[in-house]
Amino acid sequence: MKFEGTYVAMVTPFTNDLEIDEEGFRSNINYLIDKGVTGLVGAGTTGESATVSHEEHQRIIDILVDEVNGRVETIAGTGSNATSEALSLTQYAYDAGADSALLITPYYNKPQQHAMVQHYSTIADAVDIPLILYNVPSRTGINMDVETIVELAKVDGIDAVKEASGSVDKVSDIYKALTHEGIEDDFCILSGEDSLTLPLMAVGATGVISASANIDAKRMVLMVDSILNDDYTRAMELHYEMVELIRALFIESNPVPVKTAMDLMGLPSGPLRQPLAEMLPENLEVLKKALKDSDLI
């Protein structure tokens, strides 16, 4: 499967009693589709997957697939630090009709590089759904080596990587290695760092899985599309229009500022589940200024 364009790592809106706000989630899905996004990700890190139950995780996938109804691509977050659980969630996503699944590298237990190959290969062999690797060492404590990613790129059913290591060099090295193997057209690199999307796409990435697009999807779509159309002048203009807002949206742990911004914009978001907490007042002021400067509030 070819992954190209702007994918939104959606928040999970909650009601005041911390239940999934199904109506709000459906509303956000339609809001983002209207902004022209390529696809939507449910039950990922931005969706507070770490604090939803197994049943809630499945419910988020069901709502996403049902409400999208084929209008854009659907990506289900199905990663876990237990291969058995990741496999179960990925099978559920396949049965629910999701187009693909995003699997974070196993966290906390820190498997070796060869163990990660076995982890992902086990799932790819068992479930007939396109898989996206998700490398985010700042959250998981492990960093997938370039060689590991390229080895997994050769596995049938593993079609992309969301790269959030924060390194342009890393993406450059991945793309160069894919080219050396002759598989650069068969395996996609997606930016997992919103502020680095422009430089990462300049060295081989084909799109972004973006948390900030919950807030400013229109400009993110325009920037990514400009890059895909080789209009780097316009892409740079849009990058610099968004960069301060993106920084403000990551001033505290994601998705705290994103959900706060959505609330300020009148979009369904609701409270955060503990252990996340509301923003510090001084950081909230920075976020408000960035939203006002971007004409979003």
Side-chain angles (χ1 to χ4, degrees), residues 28-50:
N28 287 340
I29 288 168
N30 290 305
Y31 172 81
L32 292 169
I33 291 175
D34 288 344
K35 296 295 182 181
V37 303
T38 306
L40 300 171
V41 181
T45 305
T46 305
E48 295 178 78
S49 58

Side-chain angles (χ1 to χ4, degrees), residues 132-189:
I132 305 171
L133 315 173
Y134 181 13
N135 184 44
V136 56
S138 63
R139 285 186 179 269
T140 63
I142 53 173
N143 194 354
M144 294 182 77
D145 291 344
V146 171
E147 295 78 12
T148 302
I149 293 170
V150 174
E151 183 174 352
L152 285 166
K154 299 175 185 177
V155 175
D156 287 343
I158 299 179
D159 293 347
V161 61
K162 177 184 178 182
E163 243 302 317
S165 62
S167 171
V168 178
D169 283 346
K170 175 81 172 291
V171 169
S172 181
D173 289 343
I174 295 169
Y175 188 78
K176 182 179 179 181
L178 292 171
T179 302
H180 180 75
E181 296 289 338
I183 56 174
E184 71 276 10
D185 293 330
D186 302 320
F187 185 83
C188 298
I189 305 168

Side-chain angles (χ1 to χ4, degrees), residues 63-225:
I63 297 168
L64 176 68
V65 173
D66 178 68
E67 190 63 31
V68 168
N69 194 27
R71 289 176 291 167
V72 297
E73 295 172 31
T74 52
I75 304 175
T78 61
S80 172
N81 62 342
T83 302
S84 58
E85 183 173 283
L87 177 56
S88 174
L89 285 170
T90 305
Q91 183 65 60
Y92 188 90
Y94 171 75
D95 292 339
D99 293 309
S100 59
L102 175 69
L103 291 95
I104 197 166
T105 51
Y107 40 87
Y108 191 76
N109 41 19
K110 299 175 69 173
Q112 317 96 301
Q113 296 294 316
H114 67 275
M116 283 190 280
V117 172
Q118 294 172 12
H119 167 78
Y120 284 110
S121 296
T122 296
I123 298 165
D125 289 344
V127 185
D128 189 19
I129 186 173
L131 305 183
I132 305 171
L133 315 173
Y134 181 13
N135 184 44
V136 56
S138 63
R139 285 186 179 269
T140 63
I142 53 173
N143 194 354
M144 294 182 77
D145 291 344
V146 171
E147 295 78 12
T148 302
I149 293 170
V150 174
E151 183 174 352
L152 285 166
K154 299 175 185 177
V155 175
D156 287 343
I158 299 179
D159 293 347
V161 61
K162 177 184 178 182
E163 243 302 317
S165 62
S167 171
V168 178
D169 283 346
K170 175 81 172 291
V171 169
S172 181
D173 289 343
I174 295 169
Y175 188 78
K176 182 179 179 181
L178 292 171
T179 302
H180 180 75
E181 296 289 338
I183 56 174
E184 71 276 10
D185 293 330
D186 302 320
F187 185 83
C188 298
I189 305 168
L190 297 169
S191 168
E193 297 275 358
D194 287 5
S195 62
L196 291 181
T197 298
L198 172 57
L200 293 184
M201 290 187 71
V203 296
T206 56
V208 62
I209 296 180
S210 168
S212 68
N214 283 284
I215 308 305
D216 199 359
K218 182 178 179 179
R219 270 185 282 213
M220 184 62 76
V221 168
L222 286 171
M223 186 186 75
V224 170
D225 287 353

